[in-house]
Amino acid sequence: MTDLSLLQIILANLALLAGACLQGVAGYGIGTLAAPLLFLINPALVPAPLVLNATVLTVFMLLRNRAALQVREVRFAIGGGVGGTVLAWITLMLISPKGFELAFGVLILIGVALSVGGIRPALNARNSILAGAASTYMGTITAVGGPPIAMIYQNQKGPLVRANMSAFFLVASFFSLAALVAAGYLGQQELQLFAVTFPGVLTGFWLSGKLVNRMPFDGLRPLILAIAAVAGTAALARGLMSL
């Protein structure tokens, strides 16, 4: 396993705690908040260890919100996710470690731009397919797959958002894990990193149950996106300096 200091493990768990709590309240956010921070703590923590953590979190989310699930709406996004997975696998096979840092930074900033862009696409089959493809592509490479799929659910009610997005993320996570294994980005080291960081996710999910009707997500959103933008810019700068 990549050597992580005790401080790095603690910081990683805190980042995942905050991200899991956010996702438990809003339906998405563990990637947007935690992925850039984890990359700065230690690049080995993304994408595979975070995708593994997010997969388990979505199972918990889906069980909690299963009563609001509408499978017919999710199937189009899942279909788009197949195409996004293939493109992500091709990308991972072609880029070098230095190229990965660049791609990570660029995709993080694209995710932030999508979140603040004010675009409000309708929730229909075509947009669901496109959002599913973009979300799975970004989620496989960076573990930040929330912004594209969140765009088409931004006008829907909380329980529906949390249930449908959890169902999509669960299937998309398995697609992403398959692509990561095939590209050589998921092995014993990543499983060990997942094991030492999962307590943060478990604690964050538990905390979200206490805060789901109290936490002002809209008020926190600018701060979350600012953190992601700064960390994404830092990742991009690291990639450029390593060329």
Side-chain angles (χ1 to χ4, degrees), residues 32 36 105 108-109 111-113 116 222-236:
T32 305
I108 291 291
L109 294 177
V112 173
V116 301
L223 175 62
I224 294 164
L225 294 176
I227 292 171
V230 170
T233 302
L236 182 60

Side-chain angles (χ1 to χ4, degrees), residues 161-242:
V161 171
R162 289 190 289 269
N164 281 17
M165 289 182 64
S166 295
F168 167 75
F169 284 138
L170 181 59
V171 178
S173 293
F174 282 111
F175 289 166
S176 296
L177 291 172
L180 290 169
V181 170
Y185 280 75
L186 175 52
Q188 182 177 353
Q189 171 181 289
E190 287 73 25
L191 290 172
Q192 291 173 334
L193 291 172
F194 160 64
V196 299
T197 54
F198 178 67
V201 170
L202 191 61
T203 307
F205 176 74
W206 172 82
L207 186 60
S208 72
K210 308 293 183 182
L211 300 175
V212 68
N213 295 317
R214 302 177 186 177
M215 189 174 176
F217 174 68
D218 289 339
L220 292 174
R221 189 168 175 266
L223 175 62
I224 294 164
L225 294 176
I227 292 171
V230 170
T233 302
L236 182 60
R238 281 180 54 163
L240 289 172
M241 287 188 296
S242 66

Side-chain angles (χ1 to χ4, degrees), residues 31-54:
T32 305
L33 179 59
L37 296 176
L38 292 175
F39 185 86
L40 294 181
I41 294 168
N42 192 311
L45 291 166
V46 290
L50 179 51
V51 174
L52 287 165
N53 274 306

Side-chain angles (χ1 to χ4, degrees), residues 15-41:
L16 285 164
L17 186 157
C21 184
L22 175 65
Q23 183 146 327
V25 171
Y28 79 104
I30 186 171
T32 305
L33 179 59
L37 296 176
L38 292 175
F39 185 86
L40 294 181
I41 294 168

Side-chain angles (χ1 to χ4, degrees), residues 3-232:
D3 290 331
L4 263 66
S5 67
L6 178 59
L7 177 60
Q8 287 178 314
I9 292 173
I10 292 172
L11 291 174
N13 274 275
L14 289 174
L16 285 164
L17 186 157
C21 184
L22 175 65
Q23 183 146 327
V25 171
Y28 79 104
I30 186 171
T32 305
L33 179 59
L37 296 176
L38 292 175
F39 185 86
L40 294 181
I41 294 168
N42 192 311
L45 291 166
V46 290
L50 179 51
V51 174
L52 287 165
N53 274 306
T55 303
V56 179
L57 176 61
T58 53
V59 173
F60 294 157
M61 288 279 297
L62 192 56
L63 290 173
R64 178 191 283 174
N65 298 282
R66 61 188 179 278
L69 179 62
Q70 296 182 9
V71 177
R72 291 188 64 184
E73 288 189 3
V74 182
R75 70 186 191 276
F76 296 110
I78 291 173
V82 175
T85 303
V86 174
L87 290 175
W89 172 72
I90 293 172
T91 301
L92 290 172
M93 292 296 292
L94 293 177
I95 61 176
S96 65
K98 294 179 181 179
F100 176 81
E101 290 192 346
L102 284 172
F104 184 92
V106 169
L107 289 175
I108 291 291
L109 294 177
I110 289 175
V112 173
L114 290 175
S115 295
V116 301
I119 303 172
R120 295 183 176 272
L123 179 57
N124 56 37
R126 182 195 65 182
N127 290 338
S128 292
I129 291 171
L130 293 174
S135 181
T136 309
Y137 179 80
M138 293 175 62
T140 301
I141 296 175
T142 67
V144 183
I149 198 72
M151 288 171 58
I152 64 172
Y153 279 101
Q154 59 189 304
N155 295 321
Q156 307 302 312
K157 295 181 180 180
L160 174 66
V161 171
R162 289 190 289 269
N164 281 17
M165 289 182 64
S166 295
F168 167 75
F169 284 138
L170 181 59
V171 178
S173 293
F174 282 111
F175 289 166
S176 296
L177 291 172
L180 290 169
V181 170
Y185 280 75
L186 175 52
Q188 182 177 353
Q189 171 181 289
E190 287 73 25
L191 290 172
Q192 291 173 334
L193 291 172
F194 160 64
V196 299
T197 54
F198 178 67
V201 170
L202 191 61
T203 307
F205 176 74
W206 172 82
L207 186 60
S208 72
K210 308 293 183 182
L211 300 175
V212 68
N213 295 317
R214 302 177 186 177
M215 189 174 176
F217 174 68
D218 289 339
L220 292 174
R221 189 168 175 266
L223 175 62
I224 294 164
L225 294 176
I227 292 171
V230 170

